[in-house]
Amino acid sequence: MIRVYLGLGANLGNPKQTLLDVMDELRQADFVSQLSCSSLYASKPMGPQDQPDYVNAVVGFFTELAPIPLLDTLQRIEADFGRVRGRRWGARTLDIDILLYGDQTVNTERLQIPHMGIEQREFVLVPLAEIAPDLDLPSGNSVKSLAQSISHNGLHRIAPAPSDHP
Ligand code: ROI
């Protein structure tokens, strides 16, 4: 079993509900063991500013899926959730990024692990530090120290993690 961490993000539709629903689906999925979920955070968009603020969270779990089957599975979940009824049918409302897959490195065209943005993104580091403060990244930096030293850029907690024991 490998411990994996995923970054969740959404800024269309009902982002908070989408992330709570994804956490619920993961908790019940047969490829997921011992799910832990961070709180939900509101964050300013990185990149183009003419878009709504994001809701971001991080989850961790054990899995027996190899990286590519895991990616395929998560992209199916993205497709299921990531569509809103509206003028632009097909607008993406959910992003799921594989941040870490144990301590393994993956460098293919489809998949790069560790995810390149981890150390620069407060909306990844802060929720990751909540569920895995003692984790060291492959760079050798601890998640807790990175989360403490990065600019929070308006990031703030908007909802608790869903209960571990529903
Ligand atoms: N900005 C924030 N705050 N959160 C995200 O999840 C996010 N995802 C993206 C880009 C457009 C880079 N900006 C983001 O894909």
Side-chain angles (χ1 to χ4, degrees), residues 8-10 43-48 51 54-56 95 121-123:
L8 309 179
S43 67
K44 295 283 164 212
M46 193 192 86
Q51 57 175 327
Y54 279 79
V55 177
N56 285 109
D95 270 314
R121 299 183 179 181
E122 71 287 350
F123 56 84

Side-chain angles (χ1 to χ4, degrees), residues 102-138:
D103 58 9
Q104 295 184 35
T105 300
V106 178
N107 263 309
T108 65
E109 222 167 279
R110 266 190 85 195
L111 188 58
Q112 294 86 41
I113 304 174
H115 192 269
M116 57 166 185
I118 296 181
E119 299 207 10
Q120 290 76 42
R121 299 183 179 181
E122 71 287 350
F123 56 84
V124 173
L125 283 175
V126 172
L128 183 59
E130 200 188 319
I131 60 171
D134 297 325
L135 188 67
D136 287 329
L137 295 181

Side-chain angles (χ1 to χ4, degrees), residues 5-10 15-16 18-23 26 36-43 54-60 94-99 121-131 155-162:
Y5 292 93
L6 310 180
L8 309 179
K16 177 178 156 187
T18 299
L19 264 53
L20 291 172
D21 288 348
V22 171
M23 289 168 168
L26 288 172
S36 33
C37 298
S38 76
S39 306
L40 273 50
Y41 292 84
S43 67
Y54 279 79
V55 177
N56 285 109
V58 169
V59 299
L94 174 65
D95 270 314
I96 305 179
D97 293 328
I98 303 175
L99 303 172
R121 299 183 179 181
E122 71 287 350
F123 56 84
V124 173
L125 283 175
V126 172
L128 183 59
E130 200 188 319
I131 60 171
L155 186 81
H156 62 282
R157 189 170 173 274
I158 56 163

